[in-house]
Amino acid sequence: MKLTAIKGVSEKREQQFNKLGVYSLEDLVRHFPRDYCDLTSVTLVRNAYHNEIILTSCEVLQIEFNRHAKRPYVKALCQQSGSIFSAIWFNQPYVATTLKLGEYLFYGRVQNRYGMGGTMINPTFEPLDKNYNLKGIVPVYSLSGTLTQKVIRSAISQALYKINLTSVIPKEVQKKYELGDLCEAYFKLHAPKSKEDIKKASARIALEEYFILISAFKLIKGDGQEARLNDYSVTAEEVRAFTSRFPFEFTDGQKAAVTEIYKNLKSPQKMNRLIQGDVGSGKTAVALTGIYAALKSGYQAAMLAPTEVLAKQNYLLMQKYLPDYNVAFLSGSTGAVEKRAVKKGLADGTINAVCGTHAVIQSDVAFKNLSFVVCDEQHRFGVAQRSSLSQKGEGCDVLIMSATPIPRTLSLIFYGDLDITTIKDKPRSRQDISTAIIPESKYASMLKYVESEAALGKQTYFVCPKIEGDDEGTVMSVTELYEELQQKMPKVKFALLHGKMKDKQKEQVMQEFKDKKYDCLVSTTVIEVGVDVPSATIMIIYNAERFGLSQLHQLRGRVGRGKEKSYCFLLMGSDTQMAKERLAVIKNNTDGFKIAEMDLEMRGSGDFMGTRQSGRILTEIKNLKFPTSVIFTAKALSDEAFSGRYNINELCKIALKKYESLKDVVLN
């Protein structure tokens, strides 16, 4: 049903909803609250922490609209409990006509850096005297354009009565597991009477969503096993001898991974294995062992990496540890003559292994007898890209690697068709990285420390969450930071790196930083992928509370790759209790898998599900907070539904329709 079926939603307003990803009444009721206001608890602006989001009541005394400023703004002078504060809205000129003099409820972020009374930035507002909707616990939604909280609440309230919210879980299974009513859960989530209502409703809706998703995976994946076509003649003794080529003894985790891969290669089914390990756990050494097994057995191997720097890094390792074989490098920047030679060598078999970027999967690259494929940093590739490489050989064994720790809960679901190897220990040579949360009062001292370390030849990463700043002034852009640091530390050589730069530029900057032409690299999260710079010993992350914990752990892993002691400094743009608790997890933990589980508990699964290759998988429920046990329960319910005792025709129809995009992801 179209959105215009809702009273108060015009075609123009429908376009604003579309910008939020809301196109139908079903989408509307699934536009879940990003937060809740407890209207029994109103905070004074002067008592709020810097960057704290609060609900407050006040009287608007004066309104000013400056349309000629670089960033047009509306500013209101407000009074509450005998004190004055201001509220300001950037790039929202409509506020000048909708906001009037009088009493209001404001909800938004407070800038109170120096305890001077505070300013509210871009708050949402509703008249206090007409505040019929704002009673008890009130949902707060993401907005777009001219949409207000009042408009969205009204639209959702109407939509809840117009659509069918029946569960697709078989009734017998619902009864057996004593599940609550799904329709009631939606009503309670959007109009809760207590915090307990929110908790139970979130869990019930999340259970339904995961049940449908897991069922879709079951339907699309099928059995998934394929018979082995390639016969590996390499012996276990030869594999063990190869591992002794490395200048370190393999950890127990690496040894177990090598054993699992060897057993795979000797089994009746072809290998399709995910190897995940924390930063520095030695996954590449394990992958090279698998490549050796293929080459020793007379086959070819290929290793795919997302960037030229990482591909070249892997190529040099391949050359070092596989000197008996002819290995080649292939990327977009490889010269035409060399490209032709590499392609010819791969086709006639005189080149045994190739390491490269997307250039390896081009249609004109052919292999004589490719049997073993490695995909490094697998989350950076679409599944179709990985598939196009493995299809260049007959029955290729595939090893995909990930340094992004995946919570056990989610790996059971999303990688259920893969054998999963987890390397939990780190090489003994790797040092723990000391992590500290830096208050604003210590910022200047931290920069002096960076300057002194640069004089000693050590390098530093400065990481920003965004290429551009935000209207609230809480996030500095990477270019602003780059310019500011150059002014504050004129003796230090800085480089700039961000996602809007061309690939060739990014590769050049990263290589020059690795070659120590720069002391510091100011960057966005494009440095997250595993480039090895041993002399980088300091990682500084701005607005650290805006990153997921697993991402912070990944960024921290860019340092500590050499012999020198390394440090990670976290700078907070918000000092709310939640921000402090989340960053304390990073400060006090070094186990990436434990951090991933805690991240899942603290902020839900939406961010884990927003994968590049699968589009919007459950991103709409990322605001729901629920225990991870819900995912296990959903898996159990799906197993029960598919046991053959129930009619699941409707479930199959809905699951396949809703997650149709998964076919391209899973079947490849």
Side-chain angles (χ1 to χ4, degrees):
M1 196 179 294
K2 294 185 67 175
L3 292 174
T4 48
I6 294 292
K7 183 181 178 181
V9 178
S10 61
E11 289 187 4
K12 184 177 179 181
R13 200 163 262 175
E14 183 180 36
Q15 292 173 1
Q16 300 292 345
F17 274 109
N18 292 167
K19 290 179 181 178
L20 291 170
V22 175
Y23 296 90
S24 65
L25 298 196
E26 289 76 13
D27 292 337
L28 189 56
V29 298
R30 292 167 59 78
H31 184 61
F32 298 125
R34 62 177 172 81
D35 203 352
Y36 291 89
C37 282
D38 184 350
L39 295 194
T40 61
S41 176
V42 175
T43 304
L44 294 178
V45 172
R46 66 169 177 261
N47 294 336
Y49 293 110
H50 175 58
N51 270 337
E52 184 179 0
I53 295 175
I54 67 165
L55 172 77
T56 194
S57 60
C58 65
E59 182 182 0
V60 176
L61 303 176
Q62 183 180 317
I63 301 167
E64 171 194 349
F65 179 27
N66 189 335
R67 58 167 54 88
H68 302 296
K70 187 176 180 181
R71 282 193 301 170
Y73 65 84
V74 177
K75 187 174 183 179
L77 190 66
C78 309
Q79 173 182 275
Q80 65 173 185
S81 300
S83 63
I84 301 293
F85 74 91
S86 60
I88 190 165
W89 294 263
F90 293 102
N91 297 318
Q92 298 180 39
Y94 67 89
V95 172
T97 55
T98 54
L99 184 68
K100 309 294 182 185
L101 302 184
E103 295 184 318
Y104 282 86
L105 278 175
F106 281 7
Y107 177 80
R109 189 183 302 275
V110 175
Q111 294 279 282
N112 191 16
R113 189 181 296 271
Y114 304 108
M116 300 295 289
T119 300
M120 293 197 78
I121 308 294
N122 295 341
T124 58
F125 55 89
E126 297 206 17
L128 199 58
D129 58 341
K130 296 180 181 178
N131 194 29
Y132 305 118
N133 295 325
L134 296 178
K135 297 176 182 177
I137 298 175
V138 178
V140 179
Y141 300 93
S142 297
L143 301 175
S144 175
T146 59
L147 291 176
T148 65
Q149 295 293 336
K150 186 175 182 181
V151 166
I152 292 183
R153 288 189 203 112
S154 173
I156 290 175
S157 178
Q158 293 178 64
L160 285 169
Y161 288 98
K162 288 181 178 287
I163 66 170
N164 182 14
L165 293 168
T166 306
S167 173
V168 297
I169 301 173
K171 290 182 179 178
E172 301 91 335
V173 177
Q174 292 186 56
K175 186 175 180 181
K176 179 178 178 179
Y177 285 84
E178 299 180 344
L179 302 184
D181 182 71
L182 181 65
C183 183
E184 183 181 349
Y186 271 91
F187 273 87
K188 285 187 175 180
L189 189 74
H190 289 292
K193 292 182 179 178
S194 67
K195 291 182 179 178
E196 188 64 22
D197 277 354
I198 300 169
K199 183 178 177 181
K200 288 182 178 179
S202 294
R204 177 63 185 91
I205 293 170
L207 179 67
E208 187 80 15
E209 294 305 312
Y210 275 104
F211 174 83
I212 297 172
L213 177 64
I214 294 167
S215 298
F217 266 79
K218 284 181 187 292
L219 291 164
I220 295 167
K221 284 176 183 173
D223 185 11
Q225 287 194 326
E226 291 184 38
R228 169 162 302 286
L229 297 179
N230 300 313
D231 182 24
Y232 289 81
S233 59
V234 67
T235 66
E237 289 73 21
E238 288 171 329
V239 169
R240 276 195 291 271
F242 175 78
T243 62
S244 66
R245 296 184 184 185
F246 292 87
F248 51 84
E249 182 184 353
F250 274 27
T251 63
D252 291 341
Q254 286 175 299
K255 290 175 183 176
V258 168
T259 300
E260 288 175 355
I261 291 170
Y262 181 76
K263 286 180 178 178
N264 258 162
L265 299 182
K266 293 289 187 175
S267 73
Q269 281 84 36
K270 79 168 192 176
M271 182 176 74
N272 196 19
R273 181 171 291 277
L274 166 69
I275 180 169
Q276 60 170 352
D278 214 340
V279 174
S281 61
K283 298 182 297 300
T284 304
V286 172
L288 289 175
T289 306
I291 290 172
Y292 166 77
L295 304 189
K296 186 68 176 176
S297 301
Y299 296 109
Q300 290 174 299
M303 191 171 190
L304 188 64
T307 68
E308 190 165 320
V309 173
L310 186 55
K312 181 62 71 72
Q313 184 175 291
N314 289 338
Y315 166 66
L316 294 174
L317 290 172
M318 204 182 281
Q319 275 189 319
K320 181 178 180 180
Y321 293 110
L322 296 165
D324 305 331
Y325 299 95
N326 185 13
V327 299
F329 175 76
L330 187 62
S331 75
S333 64
T334 303
V337 174
E338 190 179 349
K339 265 185 186 176
R340 282 195 296 271
V342 171
K343 290 174 184 177
K344 182 178 181 299
L346 291 173
D348 63 24
T350 55
I351 292 178
N352 306 109
V354 64
C355 187
T357 59
H358 296 75
V360 177
I361 62 178
Q362 297 304 309
S363 58
D364 62 345
V365 177
F367 293 78
K368 183 179 180 181
N369 60 346
L370 179 67
S371 78
F372 196 93
V373 169
V374 178
C375 187
D376 198 1
E377 297 291 348
Q378 62 88 22
H379 63 290
R380 295 280 171 166
F381 294 98
V383 176
Q385 292 172 314
R386 301 200 298 268
S387 175
S388 65
L389 177 57
S390 63
Q391 287 173 3
K392 290 181 181 290
E394 290 291 324
C396 283
D397 293 286
V398 179
L399 180 67
I400 59 179
M401 301 197 296
S402 175
T404 303
I406 303 163
R408 185 171 65 97
T409 331
L410 300 181
S411 65
L412 281 173
I413 299 167
F414 295 97
Y415 296 104
D417 59 334
L418 297 180
D419 293 314
I420 300 177
T421 295
T422 300
I423 302 176
K424 287 199 170 182
D425 41 19
K426 293 181 182 179
R428 296 175 181 86
S429 60
R430 288 280 292 196
Q431 300 182 43
D432 282 336
I433 301 161
S434 294
T435 304
I437 299 171
I438 304 298
E440 196 171 330
S441 59
K442 300 288 184 182
Y443 183 67
S445 299
M446 181 195 73
L447 293 184
K448 284 184 180 178
Y449 174 69
V450 170
E451 199 167 19
S452 65
E453 290 294 282
L456 298 174
K458 297 175 187 177
Q459 294 174 285
T460 299
Y461 293 104
F462 290 83
V463 178
C464 269
K466 291 185 177 182
I467 296 175
E468 299 173 352
D470 66 350
D471 287 339
E472 297 182 10
T474 59
V475 179
M476 183 182 290
S477 75
V478 69
T479 50
E480 287 173 337
L481 178 62
Y482 173 67
E483 292 166 2
E484 180 186 287
L485 291 172
Q486 284 182 309
Q487 291 177 353
K488 289 186 175 181
M489 293 186 282
K491 295 180 181 179
V492 177
K493 290 177 287 185
F494 286 93
L496 176 66
L497 185 69
H498 57 73
K500 285 188 176 180
M501 294 167 66
K502 293 181 179 179
D503 288 345
K504 198 167 184 179
Q505 284 180 292
K506 287 188 282 189
E507 305 286 0
Q508 182 181 346
V509 169
M510 202 63 238
Q511 189 61 54
E512 289 178 348
F513 181 65
K514 189 175 181 180
D515 294 340
K516 301 191 74 171
K517 291 183 180 179
Y518 300 105
D519 303 308
C520 300
L521 182 63
V522 185
S523 174
T524 55
T525 55
V526 292
I527 60 147
E528 190 182 347
V529 172
V531 176
D532 194 4
V533 183
S535 55
T537 59
I538 305 171
M539 168 63 68
I540 300 172
I541 304 173
Y542 288 73
N543 293 101
E545 76 285 351
R546 289 178 174 258
F547 295 91
L549 298 184
S550 289
Q551 192 175 30
L552 288 174
H553 182 64
Q554 283 285 296
L555 290 168
R556 176 169 61 182
R558 294 304 102 221
V559 296
R561 305 177 81 86
K563 296 179 180 178
E564 299 289 340
K565 176 66 178 172
S566 293
Y567 301 88
C568 178
F569 300 137
L570 306 175
L571 308 179
M572 289 198 301
S574 168
D575 53 6
T576 63
Q577 188 60 34
M578 176 60 77
K580 291 176 182 176
E581 288 175 5
R582 291 183 69 251
L583 295 188
V585 171
I586 286 290
K587 182 178 182 295
N588 300 324
N589 290 278
T590 57
D591 182 340
F593 294 95
K594 183 177 181 181
I595 289 169
E597 292 288 354
M598 296 179 78
D599 203 7
L600 179 61
E601 287 282 0
M602 296 180 86
R603 57 173 193 156
S605 65
D607 295 285
F608 286 104
M609 299 303 97
T611 56
R612 290 171 175 81
Q613 59 261 54
S614 54
R616 292 182 61 196
I617 296 183
L618 295 185
T619 52
E620 65 266 44
I621 73 164
K622 67 182 178 181
N623 292 334
L624 302 184
K625 299 295 182 283
F626 54 88
T628 53
S629 60
V630 165
I631 303 175
F632 283 112
T633 302
K635 189 175 187 305
L637 293 180
S638 182
D639 291 344
E640 175 88 15
F642 278 79
S643 64
R645 289 177 286 170
Y646 308 106
N647 181 356
I648 58 170
N649 291 338
E650 188 64 20
L651 163 63
C652 294
K653 189 166 45 174
I654 290 173
L656 289 174
K657 182 180 178 183
K658 182 169 182 180
Y659 290 109
E660 189 175 2
S661 63
L662 282 179
K663 290 179 183 177
D664 294 332
V665 177
V666 177
L667 294 180
N668 284 326

